[in-house]
Amino acid sequence: MSFSIKAEITAHVKKAAGLYRLDLYAPEISSEVQPGQFVHLRVRDGGYDPLLRRPFSIYDTNKSRGEISIIYRVVGRGTSILALRPPHDKLDLMGPLGRPFTFWEEDEKVILVAGGVGMAPLYLLVKALLKKGVHVKVLLGARTEGELVGTEDLQELKLKPCVATEDGSAGFKGLVTELLKEKLGENSFHRLYTCGPRPMLKEVARVAADFQLKGEVSLEEIMACGVGACLGCAFPIKTGEKGAQETVYKKVCAQGPAFSLEEVIYD
Amino acid sequence: MSFSIKAEITAHVKKAAGLYRLDLYAPEISSEVQPGQFVHLRVRDGGYDPLLRRPFSIYDTNKSRGEISIIYRVVGRGTSILALRPPHDKLDLMGPLGRPFTFWEEDEKVILVAGGVGMAPLYLLVKALLKKGVHVKVLLGARTEGELVGTEDLQELKLKPCVATEDGSAGFKGLVTELLKEKLGENSFHRLYTCGPRPMLKEVARVAADFQLKGEVSLEEIMACGVGACLGCAFPIKTGEKGAQETVYKKVCAQGPAFSLEEVIYD
Amino acid sequence: MIDLSVEIAGIRMKNPVMSASGCFGYGREYVSFLDLEDLGALVVKGTTLEPRKGNTPPRICETAAGILNSVGLQNPGIDSVIRQEIPYLKNKNVPLIINIAANLEEEYIELARTLDPLEEVHGLEVNISCPNVKKGGMAFGTDVESACRLVKTLRSVTTKPLIVKLSPNVTDIVEIALAVEEAGADALSLINTLLGMAIDVNRRKPVLGNIMGGLSGPAVKPIALRMVWQVSEKVKVPVIGMGGIMTAEDALEFIMAGATAVAVGTANFVDPRAICEIIEGMENFLQDNNISNINQIKGAAREDCEL
Amino acid sequence: MIDLSVEIAGIRMKNPVMSASGCFGYGREYVSFLDLEDLGALVVKGTTLEPRKGNTPPRICETAAGILNSVGLQNPGIDSVIRQEIPYLKNKNVPLIINIAANLEEEYIELARTLDPLEEVHGLEVNISCPNVKKGGMAFGTDVESACRLVKTLRSVTTKPLIVKLSPNVTDIVEIALAVEEAGADALSLINTLLGMAIDVNRRKPVLGNIMGGLSGPAVKPIALRMVWQVSEKVKVPVIGMGGIMTAEDALEFIMAGATAVAVGTANFVDPRAICEIIEGMENFLQDNNISNINQIKGAAREDCEL
Ligand SMILES: Cc1cc2nc3c(=O)[nH]c(=O)nc-3n(C[C@H](O)[C@H](O)[C@H](O)COP(=O)(O)OP(=O)(O)OC[C@H]3O[C@@H](n4cnc5c(N)ncnc54)[C@H](O)[C@@H]3O)c2cc1C
Ligand SMILES: Cc1cc2nc3c(=O)[nH]c(=O)nc-3n(C[C@H](O)[C@H](O)[C@H](O)COP(=O)(O)OP(=O)(O)OC[C@H]3O[C@@H](n4cnc5c(N)ncnc54)[C@H](O)[C@@H]3O)c2cc1C
Ligand SMILES: Cc1cc2nc3c(=O)[nH]c(=O)nc-3n(C[C@H](O)[C@H](O)[C@H](O)COP(=O)(O)O)c2cc1C
Ligand SMILES: Cc1cc2nc3c(=O)[nH]c(=O)nc-3n(C[C@H](O)[C@H](O)[C@H](O)COP(=O)(O)O)c2cc1C
Ligand code: FES
Ligand code: FES
C-alpha cells in the first residue's frame, strides 16, 4: 500500500554544507515503510517549476511520533527549493514506494558500503539488521569529511563505521572501494548492501564478485511517475542464464530501487 | 531614464481582504517618477512560473527615504505569489516606466474618478496637483467598502473623497459614474483624470463628453516587455480629424498608460 | 444533477476524462491512489505485437513546464498484455481502450485481429504518432497516404471503435485528420508528443540516451489546444483532446475548443490523483455556472468566432 | 582572452548573441538597460512595405513557461523605419539586421530592393514564418516550393546577406532548410513561434483577440533545439538558433547542437538585460572550462552521436 498525502515538516536542519535532514509527519508511511523504500515528493506546492516530483530514500523513521526522515544533498533546482521550506509547511508526498532490500534469514554478518548520500537508504537497513541480531559492518566513503552521511547516527547505534575520504580529511585517504577490498580480505561476510555514485557501485560489484560475495544495490535514475507507470526510470539489467544472457530494462521505481548486485549493468 | 534594479521590500501590509500595500527601497525610481508612471516587477526571483513581469502603478513615494509604494489587489497567480513576499526580500524591478499624466498650467479645479484599485496611479497625481495649488475633487467607487482604496491617505492630505459603493456599504449607493454626473452638474471643472475598470472608464468618458470636460485616463492591458518593444499591450485609439477618423493601436506601456480621455476606444 | 457523461464512437463514458496512453501504465500502478472506476475510460500503454525492450536510458528529462520522454514503446507485447493485464482490468467497471503501435502495417493488422474478439476491450487507439522509435508509427502519422491506407485496412479487420491518435509534428494536422476520418476512424486523439531534445552542457551530450524525445506537459498545451480547435472544427467524428492538461480548467479549455473528451498524461506523474481531481473540478465548474450537461459547453468558445 | 566572435554570412559579430526580431523593438527601447554595442547583432522588429496596424488586442497571453503573442506584425512600414529608426542605429557600433515580412513575393522584393543600397544595414532576415497574419509569410515557410522561389528571387535583387527565418510549424524542417539553402540563403534562423492558443473558460472565448498566436519562451526550447540539431547537421550555411533561450546555458545548448549564433526573444521581457547576462555567462562558462574560442564547442554535442 502506498499513500499520497500532505505531510507537515516537523524539522528541517542543515547537517553540513549542502546537506539537509528533513523530518515529516507521515504516520501512514512511517508504519508501512521497509528499508530501501523511498518517497516521491513535490518540492513546491502548485506551479510547474519544477514540474516533476523528486524521489528520496526514507532514511529513518520514528514510528511512535509517526515521522519519517530523509537526508538529501542540494544538487540542483529541486533540492535548492526544498532546502528553503520552513517547518510546518506541508509537502505533497507519495510513499512508501519501491521494492525494499531483501533479508536472508541465514545471514549473520553483512557489510554495507555507502558513498556520500548513498547512506540514505542504508540506515534503516542497518537498524533492521541489528534488530535481527545480524552483525553489521558499515563502510562510508565521500570526497571529503563534510560529505559523509550518517556517522553520528551510526555511533548512536553503537556502530563504528570505517571511513574513507578521497582527500584524507577523515579516516582512510582514498576510495571506499579500496577499504572494501581490505575488509573483504580480512573477514568474510554473508552479504553486501550498497548505494552510492555509479562508478563506485560498479567497482563495489566488481570487488564483491572477486570475493564471490552476493548482495544488493540501491539504484538511482531520473523518475517521472515513481510507481511503475511511465517506464521512464529504466535501468539495464542482465537476465537469463550465463552464456545466453540478455539485457532488459527494469524500472528502478517499481522493480527496484533494490536490485541484486550481480544483475545490474553499471555502464 | 528607467532602471532595472533589485529593490528591497521595506514594508508589506495587508490593507483589506485581498488588498496590499508594498513599500520598496528604490531611490533611483523614487526620485525620477512622475504621477501615472508604473513599475514592472517579477513576483518571484528566478524560475519561469509565472514567466512575465507584472505592472503596477507607483502609488506614492517617500523621496527622503528613497521609497516607492504600490497598492495592489490579488487577482491571480502573480499577485498571489507577490502577497507572500516578506519584508527584506528583494524584488526585480523596472521603472519608472510609461507616459505620465499631463499637467495643464491653466487648470485650477480638477476632478478625479477612481474605481477600486484604479486609485493607484491617481494618488501621486493628487499630491502633485495640490502642490501646484490646484483644487482637487476625488470620487472613489467600488463594489463594497472593503474594496475602496486610498480613503485614509486622501484624508491625510485633508481631502474628503466622495464615495460610492455598489452595495451601499459606504457613501452613495450606486455607481461612481452616477456620482460623477451629479458633481459635474453642480460644479464645473477644468479637467478630469480617471482610472478603473473598463466599463467604468467608458461611462466616465461618455459623461465627461456630455459635459464637454477634457481629461486623461490611465489604461491597463496585459504587458510583456513594459518598454514599448513587443507591441503586446496595444489599445485601440482614434486618430485623425473628426470625420476622417481612423483606429490605430497604441502601446499602453510606452505611449500610455495615460491617454487623453477622448481618443481611447473603450470597447 | 450534473451530467458529465459522453459517448465516443459508441463507448459510453461516465465522464469525459481518460488516462493518456503511456502515462497510466496498465491501471494497476495507480490503484493505491484512486479508484479506476472513477475514470471516464482507461487507455493503456502503447502495446506492440512482440515485446519491446525500449530505448537506452536516461529516458526522462524535465524541461520548462514539460518533460521529454524517450521510452521507446517498451512493453511486454500483446500476448502478455492479454494474459497478464487485461484479466485484471476486465472486472473493473471502466471502458478499456488498448493503444496499439507498430512498425509495419501487417503488425497493426495482426494486433487489431488479435484484440477484435475480446469483449473486455472497448476500443482501439491506433498510435500512428510515436516519435520515439525509428519506425514507431510516426511515419504513418506524418504522411496522409500511409495513414489512410492503414486506417482503411484496420477498419476492415475489426468492428471495435477505432480511435486514431495523431502526431502534432506536422504542417497541417487538419489534412491528416480529415483523411483519417474519411478512411474510417471513429474518433481522433490529439496530440501525441512533440519531438524535442535537451543537451547537458557540462557533459556536452544530449541528455536523453536516445538523443531526441517527445515533449509533453503544460508547455505544449497551447499547441495541443490549437490543434484540437482546428481539427474539431472540420471533422464530424469526436475528438479526444490531450496535451498538458493538469487542471479542470485546462480540460474545460479543450472541451470548449470542441473536444468531446480529454486525456490526462503527464499530470499523473505530478499528482497520482490528477484524473479524479480534474473530474471533480469540472463538475464543480458546471455546478457553479449552472450548466447541467457537459455537452452544453462543447465547442462553446467557437461561438461567434470566425477565423 | 576568450574569443566569442563569430561570423554569419560575412557579418562579423563580437559575440554570438543577437536580439530576436519583434522582441527588442528597434533597439532604443532598451538603451536605459544596456549598451546596444554589447550585442552580437541587433535584429529589429519585422518590417513590412506598408505600415501595418496589427491584430486586435489582447495580444499577449502568458502560458506555462511561455507566452502566446498575436501582435500581427504591427509596424510603421519600411519608409518610416528608414527615416525614424535606422539613422539612430547607424551610429551604434553593432551589426544591424532588418527583419522583413510580407504577404506577397513582390512586396518582399520591393523591401529587399529598398534596403539594398543602405550601407548601415548589414543583413536581411527574411521572415517566411510569421504565424500571426493571415498571409504573413507562414504560407511561404510551410511550403518548400514557394519558399525556394522567394529566396531565389531575393538573391537576385540584393547582395546583402540573406538570413531566412524558418517556421517550426512543419512536418520536416530539414527539407525546407535544404531547399532554402540551395536557393541561395546565406544563413538560417530558427525557430519562429509555434502556433498555439488559449481559452478563457470563464468568458468561454479565446484569450487572444486574434484567436491564435505564436508560442515562444522556455516552453518551446526543446522543440527549437531539436530543429537546430536536425538542420545544422544537414546544411552548410550557419544556423542562428532561437526559441526559449533564457540563460547562458540555454544558449550553449544551441551552440553545442550546431548553431553558430543564437537570438534572444522572450527573455528580454523577463529581464531587459538578458542578452548581456547571457553573453557574460557564456564567457564565464568558456573560461571555467578552459575553452578559448566559442567555435571550439560548436556542435560539440554531436560528436559520437549517431541518429
Ligand atoms: C530511488 C531514489 C532515491 C533517492 N534518494 C535520495 C536521498 O535519499 N538523498 C538524496 O540526496 N538524493 C536521493 N536521490 C537523488 C535525488 O532524487 C536527486 O538528487 C534529486 O531528484 C535532484 O533534484 P534537483 O532538482 O535538485 O536536481 P536536478 O536539477 O533535477 O538535477 C541535478 C543533477 O541531479 C541528477 N538527478 C536528478 N534527478 C535524479 C534522480 N532521480 N536520481 C539521480 N540523479 C538525479 C541530474 O541528472 C543532475 O545531474 C534518490 C534518487 C532515487 C531515484
Ligand atoms: C500600467 C498598469 C498599471 C497597473 N497598476 C496596478 C496597480 O497599481 N494595482 C493593481 O492592483 N493592479 C494594477 N495593474 C493590474 C495588474 O498588473 C494586474 O492585476 C496583475 O498583473 C495581475 O497579475 P496576476 O498574475 O495576479 O493575474 P493573472 O493570473 O495574470 O490574471 C488575472 C486577471 O487579471 C488580468 N490581468 C493580468 N494582467 C493584467 C494587466 N497587466 N493589466 C490588466 N489586467 C491584467 C487578467 O486578464 C485576468 O483576468 C496595472 C496594470 C497596468 C497595465
Ligand atoms: C512517458 C510517456 C509515455 C507515453 N507513451 C505513449 C504511448 O505508448 N502511446 C501513445 O499513444 N502515447 C504515449 N504518450 C503520449 C501521451 O499519451 C500524450 O499523448 C502526451 O503525453 C500528451 O499529453 P500530456 O501532456 O497530458 O502528457 C506517452 C507520453 C509520455 C509522457
Ligand atoms: C512579441 C513577439 C513578437 C515577435 N515578432 C516577430 C517578428 O516581427 N518577426 C519575426 O521574424 N519573429 C518575431 N517573433 C519571433 C521571435 O523573433 C522568435 O523567433 C521567437 O519568439 C522564439 O524565440 P524566444 O522563445 O526567445 O522568444 C516575435 C516573438 C514575440 C514573442
Ligand atoms: S518512474 Fe515511472 S516507471 Fe519508474
Ligand atoms: S508591453 Fe511591450 S510594447 Fe507594451
Side-chain angles (χ1 to χ4, degrees):
Chain A
M1 190 66 194
S2 308
F3 305 90
S4 176
I5 57 165
K6 289 242 175 213
E8 187 179 332
I9 298 177
T10 52
H12 199 171
V13 290
K14 188 170 185 163
K15 305 285 288 179
L19 190 75
Y20 292 81
R21 179 182 170 127
L22 179 67
D23 297 341
L24 295 156
Y25 180 71
E28 310 87 327
I29 298 176
S30 178
S31 70
E32 286 255 340
V33 58
Q34 294 173 54
Q37 289 191 300
F38 67 96
V39 290
H40 207 27
L41 61 79
R42 292 189 79 177
V43 296
R44 174 144 64 198
D45 245 43
Y48 304 139
D49 186 17
L51 184 62
L52 294 176
R53 289 170 181 256
R54 298 292 188 262
F56 297 97
S57 303
I58 299 172
Y59 175 75
D60 200 0
T61 59
N62 183 327
K63 292 194 186 173
S64 62
R65 294 168 56 178
E67 291 183 355
I68 60 166
S69 307
I70 66 172
I71 294 247
Y72 67 93
R73 179 165 295 290
V74 172
V75 297
R77 180 150 180 81
T79 44
S80 304
I81 294 168
L82 185 58
L84 299 173
R85 301 292 300 262
H88 306 304
D89 255 24
K90 289 191 166 188
L91 293 184
D92 237 323
L93 207 63
M94 290 165 73
L97 300 174
R99 177 180 169 279
F101 287 114
T102 316
F103 296 100
W104 281 266
E105 287 306 324
E106 65 269 29
D107 289 354
E108 285 164 21
K109 230 176 129 189
V110 309
I111 185 163
L112 271 60
V113 189
V117 76
M119 188 62 209
L122 297 174
Y123 184 69
L124 217 48
L125 177 68
V126 171
K127 283 173 86 175
L129 288 167
L130 291 179
K131 216 167 156 190
K132 285 183 192 282
V134 179
H135 179 93
V136 183
K137 173 103 232 142
V138 181
L139 311 189
L140 295 182
R143 263 179 308 191
T144 181
E145 187 170 15
E147 296 187 1
L148 287 166
V149 172
T151 5
E152 291 159 34
D153 295 326
L154 289 167
Q155 274 153 11
E156 270 191 21
L157 300 177
K158 311 263 161 11
L159 286 186
K160 253 191 67 147
C162 296
V163 167
T165 54
E166 288 177 45
D167 66 358
S169 52
F172 170 76
K173 179 175 158 78
L175 296 172
V176 70
T177 47
E178 295 170 44
L179 214 56
L180 173 65
K181 252 180 278 183
E182 202 183 298
K183 299 290 162 198
L184 294 188
E186 292 165 2
N187 277 289
S188 76
F189 295 90
H190 296 109
R191 199 78 52 188
L192 179 149
Y193 297 92
T194 186
C195 183
R198 227 173 272 190
M200 182 200 98
L201 298 182
K202 185 179 173 178
E203 180 63 6
V204 167
R206 206 188 56 76
V207 172
D210 277 355
F211 287 87
Q212 296 188 302
L213 179 61
K214 306 220 161 195
E216 286 191 330
V217 53
S218 184
L219 295 179
E220 295 188 359
E221 185 50 87
I222 311 279
M223 288 184 179
C225 71
V227 299
C230 74
L231 295 157
C233 62
F235 215 101
I237 302 287
K238 285 172 266 186
T239 61
E241 299 296 297
K242 267 234 164 80
Q245 266 184 343
E246 249 194 305
T247 304
V248 298
Y249 289 114
K250 287 203 176 164
K251 302 182 256 194
V252 171
C253 69
Q255 295 168 292
F259 289 95
S260 92
L261 200 53
E262 311 86 63
E263 66 177 347
V264 173
I265 299 170
Y266 294 93
D267 45 18
Chain B
M1 190 65 192
S2 308
F3 305 90
S4 177
I5 56 164
K6 290 243 173 210
E8 187 177 332
I9 298 177
T10 52
H12 199 171
V13 291
K14 188 169 184 164
K15 306 283 289 179
L19 190 74
Y20 292 81
R21 176 183 172 126
L22 178 66
D23 297 342
L24 295 156
Y25 179 70
E28 310 87 327
I29 299 176
S30 178
S31 69
E32 286 257 340
V33 61
Q34 293 174 54
Q37 289 190 299
F38 67 95
V39 290
H40 207 28
L41 61 80
R42 292 189 78 177
V43 296
R44 173 143 65 199
D45 244 43
Y48 305 139
D49 185 16
L51 184 62
L52 294 176
R53 289 171 180 255
R54 299 290 189 263
F56 297 96
S57 304
I58 299 171
Y59 175 75
D60 199 1
T61 60
N62 184 326
K63 291 193 189 176
S64 61
R65 293 169 57 178
E67 290 183 355
I68 61 167
S69 307
I70 68 174
I71 295 244
Y72 68 93
R73 179 164 296 290
V74 173
V75 298
R77 179 150 180 79
T79 43
S80 304
I81 294 169
L82 185 58
L84 298 174
R85 302 290 300 262
H88 306 305
D89 254 24
K90 289 191 166 189
L91 292 185
D92 238 324
L93 208 63
M94 288 164 74
L97 300 174
R99 178 179 169 278
F101 287 115
T102 316
F103 295 101
W104 282 266
E105 288 306 327
E106 66 269 29
D107 289 355
E108 284 165 21
K109 230 176 130 188
V110 309
I111 186 163
L112 273 60
V113 189
V117 75
M119 187 60 209
L122 297 174
Y123 185 68
L124 218 46
L125 177 68
V126 171
K127 283 173 85 175
L129 289 166
L130 291 179
K131 218 167 154 187
K132 285 183 192 284
V134 180
H135 180 95
V136 182
K137 173 102 232 143
V138 181
L139 311 188
L140 295 182
R143 265 179 307 192
T144 180
E145 186 171 15
E147 295 187 2
L148 287 166
V149 171
T151 4
E152 290 160 35
D153 295 326
L154 288 166
Q155 273 154 10
E156 272 191 21
L157 300 177
K158 311 261 163 5
L159 286 185
K160 255 193 65 151
C162 296
V163 167
T165 55
E166 289 177 45
D167 65 358
S169 51
F172 170 77
K173 181 175 158 85
L175 296 173
V176 70
T177 47
E178 295 170 42
L179 214 54
L180 174 65
K181 255 179 277 183
E182 203 183 298
K183 298 290 162 198
L184 295 188
E186 293 165 1
N187 277 288
S188 77
F189 295 89
H190 296 109
R191 199 77 54 187
L192 179 149
Y193 296 92
T194 186
C195 182
R198 226 172 273 190
M200 182 200 99
L201 297 183
K202 185 179 173 177
E203 180 63 6
V204 168
R206 207 189 53 76
V207 172
D210 277 356
F211 287 87
Q212 297 188 300
L213 179 59
K214 305 220 161 199
E216 287 191 328
V217 53
S218 184
L219 295 179
E220 294 189 358
E221 185 49 88
I222 311 280
M223 289 186 180
C225 72
V227 298
C230 74
L231 295 156
C233 63
F235 215 101
I237 301 287
K238 286 172 264 184
T239 61
E241 299 296 295
K242 268 236 163 78
Q245 267 185 341
E246 249 194 303
T247 303
V248 298
Y249 290 113
K250 288 204 177 165
K251 302 182 258 193
V252 170
C253 69
Q255 295 169 292
F259 289 94
S260 94
L261 202 52
E262 310 87 63
E263 65 177 349
V264 173
I265 298 169
Y266 295 94
D267 44 17
Chain C
M1 266 285 300
I2 308 284
D3 185 0
L4 282 179
S5 71
V6 299
E7 200 183 300
I8 298 262
I11 307 169
R12 302 179 63 87
M13 298 165 40
K14 66 174 96 49
N15 65 63
V17 190
M18 8 203 313
S19 56
S21 176
C23 303
F24 207 69
Y26 290 95
R28 326 171 181 252
E29 293 84 349
Y30 281 97
V31 290
S32 275
F33 308 105
L34 45 70
D35 193 338
L36 295 183
E37 309 197 351
D38 289 342
L39 272 63
L42 196 152
V43 184
V44 302
K45 171 74 193 154
T47 303
T48 54
L49 201 55
E50 306 295 332
R52 290 262 186 114
K53 213 171 122 175
N55 287 330
T56 313
R59 292 179 176 179
I60 297 279
C61 166
E62 198 178 36
T63 66
I67 62 172
L68 286 164
N69 90 80
S70 62
V71 168
L73 286 179
Q74 176 175 345
N75 82 93
I78 191 67
D79 290 343
S80 167
V81 169
I82 290 174
R83 263 183 293 113
Q84 316 274 343
E85 306 291 348
I86 295 184
Y88 174 82
L89 293 169
K90 185 176 176 170
N91 302 315
K92 306 274 166 189
N93 182 23
V94 62
L96 175 62
I97 294 169
I98 309 290
N99 178 288
I100 58 172
N103 298 345
L104 304 171
E105 197 171 303
E106 301 88 81
E107 292 167 343
Y108 277 111
I109 293 165
E110 186 59 26
L111 280 161
R113 281 223 174 91
T114 311
L115 291 166
D116 190 60
L118 303 186
E119 234 176 66
E120 53 273 35
V121 174
H122 296 77
L124 306 184
E125 185 177 56
V126 188
N127 179 358
I128 56 166
S129 43
C130 180
N132 277 328
V133 286
K134 279 197 184 108
K135 292 180 183 167
M138 198 165 96
F140 290 98
T142 55
D143 177 55
V144 175
E145 257 178 63
S146 32
C148 265
R149 204 178 43 226
L150 174 63
V151 174
K152 268 195 193 130
T153 321
L154 285 174
R155 183 68 300 163
S156 71
V157 301
T158 181
T159 55
K160 293 246 183 276
L162 278 181
I163 304 165
V164 179
K165 183 153 175 186
L166 303 183
S167 169
N169 301 293
V170 296
T171 309
D172 186 353
I173 196 162
V174 173
E175 183 191 10
I176 300 202
L178 286 170
V180 159
E181 175 184 48
E182 164 83 30
D186 298 303
L188 301 174
S189 278
L190 53 146
I191 60 175
N192 209 313
T193 53
L194 281 135
L195 196 58
M197 74 177 290
I199 288 173
D200 180 333
V201 294
N202 293 312
R203 290 174 48 247
R204 300 187 208 171
K205 289 257 160 308
V207 174
L208 296 173
N210 202 43
I211 302 177
M212 297 185 199
L215 184 67
S216 65
V220 310
K221 195 189 72 175
I223 302 169
L225 191 68
R226 179 266 293 183
M227 290 185 164
V228 166
W229 173 278
Q230 290 178 317
V231 166
S232 61
E233 193 193 2
K234 292 290 160 64
V235 301
K236 278 171 224 81
V237 296
V239 167
I240 303 165
M242 70 198 75
I245 296 177
M246 306 295 286
T247 65
E249 283 208 0
D250 295 336
L252 289 161
E253 283 189 69
F254 280 84
I255 303 283
M256 290 183 184
T260 301
V262 296
V264 175
T266 303
N268 297 300
F269 311 153
V270 178
D271 177 2
R273 288 188 45 74
I275 295 181
C276 291
E277 305 289 351
I278 288 169
I279 295 166
E280 209 181 296
M282 289 174 84
E283 193 162 352
N284 291 341
F285 178 91
L286 295 188
Q287 187 116 46
D288 295 348
N289 288 275
N290 284 313
I291 302 160
S292 59
N293 189 314
I294 183 83
N295 292 304
Q296 282 170 252
I297 53 164
K298 188 184 144 190
R302 323 188 61 92
E303 281 155 35
D304 354 299
C305 268
E306 21 157 3
L307 249 139
Chain D
M1 265 286 301
I2 308 285
D3 185 0
L4 281 179
S5 71
V6 298
E7 199 184 301
I8 298 262
I11 306 168
R12 302 179 65 87
M13 300 166 38
K14 64 174 100 48
N15 65 63
V17 190
M18 2 201 320
S19 56
S21 178
C23 303
F24 206 69
Y26 290 95
R28 334 171 175 249
E29 294 84 349
Y30 281 97
V31 291
S32 275
F33 308 105
L34 46 71
D35 191 339
L36 295 183
E37 309 197 353
D38 289 342
L39 273 62
L42 197 153
V43 184
V44 301
K45 171 72 194 157
T47 303
T48 53
L49 201 56
E50 306 294 333
R52 291 261 185 114
K53 211 171 124 175
N55 288 329
T56 314
R59 292 178 176 181
I60 297 280
C61 166
E62 197 178 38
T63 67
I67 62 173
L68 287 164
N69 89 79
S70 63
V71 168
L73 285 181
Q74 177 176 346
N75 81 95
I78 191 67
D79 291 342
S80 166
V81 168
I82 290 173
R83 262 182 295 111
Q84 316 274 344
E85 305 293 348
I86 294 185
Y88 174 81
L89 293 169
K90 186 176 174 170
N91 303 314
K92 306 274 167 189
N93 182 24
V94 63
L96 174 62
I97 295 168
I98 309 291
N99 179 288
I100 57 172
N103 297 347
L104 305 171
E105 197 170 303
E106 301 88 82
E107 294 167 341
Y108 277 111
I109 293 165
E110 186 60 24
L111 281 161
R113 280 224 175 90
T114 311
L115 291 166
D116 190 60
L118 303 186
E119 235 177 65
E120 53 272 36
V121 173
H122 296 78
L124 305 184
E125 185 177 57
V126 188
N127 180 358
I128 57 166
S129 43
C130 182
N132 277 328
V133 286
K134 279 199 183 107
K135 291 180 185 168
M138 197 164 100
F140 289 99
T142 56
D143 178 56
V144 175
E145 257 178 63
S146 33
C148 265
R149 204 179 43 227
L150 175 62
V151 174
K152 268 196 193 126
T153 322
L154 285 175
R155 182 68 298 164
S156 70
V157 301
T158 180
T159 56
K160 293 247 185 275
L162 278 181
I163 303 165
V164 179
K165 184 152 174 187
L166 304 182
S167 169
N169 301 294
V170 296
T171 309
D172 187 353
I173 195 161
V174 173
E175 185 191 10
I176 300 202
L178 284 170
V180 159
E181 175 185 45
E182 166 84 29
D186 298 304
L188 302 173
S189 276
L190 53 147
I191 59 174
N192 211 314
T193 53
L194 282 134
L195 196 60
M197 74 178 290
I199 288 173
D200 181 333
V201 295
N202 294 312
R203 291 173 46 247
R204 298 185 210 174
K205 288 260 161 306
V207 174
L208 296 173
N210 201 43
I211 303 177
M212 297 185 199
L215 184 65
S216 64
V220 310
K221 194 188 71 173
I223 302 168
L225 190 68
R226 180 264 295 183
M227 290 185 163
V228 166
W229 173 279
Q230 289 178 318
V231 167
S232 61
E233 193 194 2
K234 291 290 160 62
V235 300
K236 277 172 225 79
V237 295
V239 167
I240 303 165
M242 70 198 74
I245 296 178
M246 305 295 285
T247 65
E249 281 209 1
D250 295 336
L252 289 161
E253 284 190 70
F254 281 83
I255 303 283
M256 290 183 184
T260 301
V262 297
V264 174
T266 303
N268 297 300
F269 310 154
V270 178
D271 177 3
R273 288 189 43 75
I275 295 181
C276 291
E277 305 287 353
I278 289 169
I279 295 166
E280 209 181 297
M282 290 174 84
E283 193 162 352
N284 291 341
F285 178 91
L286 294 189
Q287 187 117 48
D288 296 348
N289 287 274
N290 283 312
I291 302 161
S292 58
N293 188 313
I294 184 86
N295 292 302
Q296 281 170 251
I297 53 165
K298 188 183 143 190
R302 321 188 64 91
E303 281 155 35
D304 355 299
C305 267
E306 22 155 4
L307 249 139

